[in-house]
Amino acid sequence: MERRGFIKRMGLGTALFSAAGAVSISALAEEKRKAAPFKMDFAPHFGMFKNHAPGGMVDELKFMADQGFRSLEDNGLLKRTVADQELIGKTLNDLGMRMGVFVIDGGDNWKVSLTTGKQEFLDTFLKTCRDSVEAAKRVNAKWMTVVPGYFERNLPMGVQTGNVIEALKRGAEIFEPHGLTMVLEPLSDNPDLFLRHADQTYMICKAVGSPSCKILYDIYHMQRNEGNLIATMEKTWSEIAYIQIGDNPGRKEPGTGEINYSHVFQWVNNKGFDGILGMEHGNAQPGKEGELALIEAYRKVDIS
């Protein structure tokens, strides 16, 4: 009886040990699966890893964190429901991630041309600024992208510039008390857009004269519009608060085009930049393989 009891107890102990061992091995495997954080704070966007995380926003954020990404950017945040904004904010907080930029009107602010000086456009812009403050609180955001709109052919350039500066001063008054920053993005998508060059954006930021109005330097757009990336960033560096990424041609991940991103990122790091670099581009290849190739591309260009 005692011997059989001893054997039973030994069997039970072995089973428990095996189970515990399995749990430990599983936990170790899970821990090993998580990649080391990137040294530069690259920020993917939703949809970039949809094949690895088909369960939605929370699953995709967890996948991003597991791959070593420390931030997210979401241009369309302002169009999301309050519940979704709060869910994103909570998940980012739980994962220890930061929120990058969102566009202050959900992505179609080119239609609100601050160049015109029209009161209706100014009113819409300022309302959107106030709405953006509330959205920023839900996700702990600090930066919001602003595009001043289209070039107005019936107005002199100086008048358009003055209209934009005055509108941005009003926006800055809304953001300053909350420690939030509009980042102005010169673009290459459409030659009819008003804001196209880094020096032009620098001049406007200096004229607004607020910590809540700075430059979003999108490397893809600036390579297309003016090139000479590092020299241009050096000249305008005091006003650059946020950086976005995309290789040219194609607007895909680093290594798919002509830009020497390893060199650019090393220069940015040497400048002491501790902000976010948004991955505002598509995936060069489809499916899971394309997503893994994208991650590997960023591993290759991350600073050493």
Side-chain angles (χ1 to χ4, degrees), residues 133-146:
V133 170
E134 299 308 311
K137 290 177 182 177
R138 297 181 189 113
V139 296
N140 196 28
K142 294 182 179 179
W143 305 276
M144 291 77 62
T145 305
V146 171

Side-chain angles (χ1 to χ4, degrees), residues 74-218:
D74 184 25
N75 281 347
L77 180 81
L78 209 55
K79 287 187 173 180
R80 299 189 186 279
T81 64
V82 170
D84 279 349
Q85 292 174 3
E86 290 175 343
L87 177 61
I88 291 169
K90 180 182 183 306
T91 307
L92 289 172
N93 183 66
D94 291 345
L95 295 170
M97 296 176 70
R98 289 200 288 179
M99 182 70 198
V101 292
F102 63 89
V103 179
I104 72 159
D105 70 347
D108 57 2
N109 60 344
W110 296 2
K111 298 176 183 177
V112 180
S113 289
L114 302 178
T115 56
T116 65
K118 290 182 179 179
Q119 188 65 43
E120 61 186 287
F121 290 156
L122 177 61
D123 290 344
T124 298
F125 171 67
L126 296 178
K127 180 184 181 303
T128 309
C129 288
R130 288 188 286 269
D131 292 343
S132 296
V133 170
E134 299 308 311
K137 290 177 182 177
R138 297 181 189 113
V139 296
N140 196 28
K142 294 182 179 179
W143 305 276
M144 291 77 62
T145 305
V146 171
V147 178
Y150 288 107
F151 180 81
E152 185 65 33
R153 296 186 181 276
N154 295 324
L155 288 175
M157 189 65 173
V159 173
Q160 293 183 66
T161 302
N163 290 338
V164 170
I165 290 168
E166 287 305 306
L168 294 174
K169 284 182 177 179
R170 297 281 301 280
E173 290 172 358
I174 294 171
F175 290 126
E176 277 186 20
H178 305 280
L180 303 177
T181 303
M182 299 177 288
V183 282
L184 311 184
E185 183 178 15
L187 297 170
S188 65
D189 302 278
N190 187 328
D192 290 327
L193 289 170
F194 169 78
L195 199 62
R196 293 183 53 80
H197 296 284
D199 67 321
Q200 177 195 15
T201 316
Y202 176 89
M203 175 186 66
I204 291 170
C205 289
K206 286 294 186 183
V208 174
S210 168
S212 289
C213 184
K214 295 294 179 181
I215 297 173
L216 189 168
Y217 192 93
D218 187 309

Side-chain angles (χ1 to χ4, degrees), residues 40 230 260-272 301-304:
M40 298 297 281
I230 288 176
N260 185 344
Y261 267 105
S262 294
H263 188 58
V264 171
F265 290 153
Q266 190 61 59
W267 182 87
V268 168
N269 182 67
N270 290 345
K271 295 294 287 186
V301 297
D302 195 14
I303 59 170
S304 57

